């Protein structure tokens, strides 16, 4: 390993080799594929910010993939920051143009990305994955649910930019919070980022194709059922911290046709939640998970 006082370079951590952009392009960019352009950059503030800016300027088309070895100002939901050591995870954004799909159905795209990422990572890393509504990827570390990834979607240009961040090889002393995890800490059989990235992008291409073929109908494409099957939030008591500072406690009973989380509250009322921060509660005492 490189001594601590040696100059930083992209090979300074031999456990975290750089991505091979040429090999990724060769494997993913095909004439009949969704992915049309793929770039790997050494460092940037946020791949979502960069790609959204390009999309608004009309400089990119559907299927563009932007990957960073390091993000210095990565963004999560609710303007949270996302940072990790260089080459310790997957930090990338894709640009999609659903075209004729009604805009009111585009809200399913980040949820679709969650299903695709969980499916691809489970197969390639050999780790059980689950989804916390709306856009968190969970793994189990030492018997506890931990967040290992997140997804952020935003409208830009004629389409939508979807960003994904996944902790791959973070060690325990590198975790940003006690509730965070990584694929390595969850016992992944592989932490090869190129293998994981190819699996996620191929899974995303597959699910996006199914959803578009069904006209954006989440039920007809199987997306709604797949999300519900992998969602760790369902069948639990949760607290929804809503925009405006209010909150709502109830049992999460369903994901509806619009991708909203349906809570069954006191008195038997069912309330759909379209935006907010969800806290999983443990029993009546309300201990956090």
């Amino acid at each position: 390993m490189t001594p601590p006082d040696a100059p930083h370079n992209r090979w300074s951590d031999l456990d975290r080799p750089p991505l091979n952009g040429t090999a990724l392009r060769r494997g993913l960019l095909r004439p009949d594929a969704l992915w049309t352009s793929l770039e790997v950059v050494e460092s940037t503030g946020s791949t979502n910010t960069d790609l959204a800016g390009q999309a608004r300027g009309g400089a990119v088309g559907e299927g563009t993939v932007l990957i960073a070895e390091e993000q210095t100002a990565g963004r999560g939901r609710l303007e949270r920051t996302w940072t990790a050591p260089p080459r310790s995870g997957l930090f990338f954004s894709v640009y999609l143009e659903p075209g004729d799909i009604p805009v009111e159905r585009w809200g399913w795209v980040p949820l679709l990305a969650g299903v695709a990422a969980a499916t691809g990572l489970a197969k390639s890393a050999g780790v059980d994955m689950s989804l916390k509504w709306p856009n968190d990827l969970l793994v189990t570390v030492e018997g506890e649910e931990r967040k290992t990834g997140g997804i952020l979607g935003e409208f830009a240009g004629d389409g939508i930019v979807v960003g994904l961040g996944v902790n791959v090889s973070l060690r325990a002393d590198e975790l940003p919070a006690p509730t965070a995890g990584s694929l390595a800490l969850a016992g992944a059989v592989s932490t090869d980022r190129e293998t994981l990235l190819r699996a996620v992008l191929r899974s995303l291409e597959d699910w996006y194709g199914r959803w578009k073929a069904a006209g954006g109908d989440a039920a007809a494409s199987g997306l709604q059922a797949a999300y519900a099957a992998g969602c760790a939030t369902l069948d639990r008591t949760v607290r929804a911290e809503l925009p405006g500072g209010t909150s709502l406690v109830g049992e999460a009973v369903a994901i509806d046709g619009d991708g909203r989380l349906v809570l069954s509250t006191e008195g038997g009322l069912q309330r759909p939640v379209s935006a907010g921060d969800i806290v999983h509660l443990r029993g009546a005492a309300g201990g956090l998970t």
Side-chain angles (χ1 to χ4, degrees):
M1 298 298 290
T2 304
D5 55 351
H8 172 78
N9 65 70
R10 63 202 302 260
W11 288 101
S12 58
D13 188 339
L14 297 182
D15 292 329
R16 293 169 175 165
L19 294 169
N20 186 328
T22 300
L24 288 169
R25 284 188 287 272
R26 186 165 54 242
L28 292 165
L29 307 186
R30 308 181 309 275
D32 59 342
L34 169 63
W35 311 119
T36 57
S37 172
L38 184 149
E39 181 183 8
V40 180
V41 299
E42 188 68 19
S43 181
T44 190
S46 162
T47 57
N48 250 40
T49 298
D50 293 349
L51 196 52
Q54 294 173 36
R56 294 185 183 104
V60 295
E62 180 169 57
T64 298
V65 183
L66 178 61
I67 308 159
E69 297 281 33
E70 177 186 27
Q71 284 194 129
T72 58
R75 293 182 292 124
R77 292 182 60 253
L78 306 177
E79 298 303 317
R80 294 191 178 105
T81 58
W82 178 287
T83 58
R87 302 179 305 283
S88 66
L90 298 177
F91 320 115
F92 68 99
S93 298
V94 303
Y95 178 63
L96 303 172
E97 291 182 341
D100 295 334
I101 305 299
V103 175
E104 58 267 23
R105 293 181 171 178
W106 289 22
W108 270 102
V109 174
L111 302 182
L112 182 156
V115 170
T119 302
L121 291 171
K123 290 180 179 178
S124 57
V127 170
D128 287 337
M129 306 286 301
S130 59
L131 300 161
K132 178 184 174 186
W133 187 91
N135 296 321
D136 287 349
L137 297 166
L138 303 180
V139 294
T140 301
V141 177
E142 297 179 350
E144 294 184 353
E145 280 182 345
R146 301 281 189 88
K147 176 179 175 177
T148 194
I151 298 160
L152 179 66
E154 57 185 299
F155 295 121
D158 295 323
I160 182 170
V161 171
V162 182
L164 293 91
V166 181
N167 294 335
V168 174
S169 64
L170 264 73
R171 301 175 271 269
D173 61 350
E174 295 174 320
L175 296 174
T179 55
S182 69
L183 297 180
L185 292 174
V189 297
S190 172
T191 57
D192 181 277
R193 292 184 303 138
E194 289 183 22
T195 299
L196 302 177
L197 181 60
R198 285 194 298 268
V200 171
L201 287 173
R202 286 171 178 155
S203 182
L204 181 51
E205 179 178 13
D206 177 55
W207 274 107
Y208 183 66
R210 293 192 216 181
W211 178 75
K212 284 192 72 176
D217 188 319
S221 65
L223 175 59
Q224 184 177 0
Y227 190 93
C231 184
T233 303
L234 292 180
D235 301 321
R236 300 172 76 152
T237 300
V238 304
R239 182 174 69 249
E241 297 175 350
L242 307 174
T246 61
S247 64
L248 181 67
V249 174
E251 182 184 357
V253 295
I255 305 294
D256 73 9
D258 294 319
R260 299 178 299 182
L261 181 68
V262 180
L263 300 186
S264 178
T265 61
E266 289 186 8
L269 295 176
Q270 293 199 346
R271 295 271 303 274
V273 175
S274 59
D277 202 20
I278 300 299
V279 179
H280 290 173
L281 303 177
R282 186 182 297 143
L288 302 186
T289 66

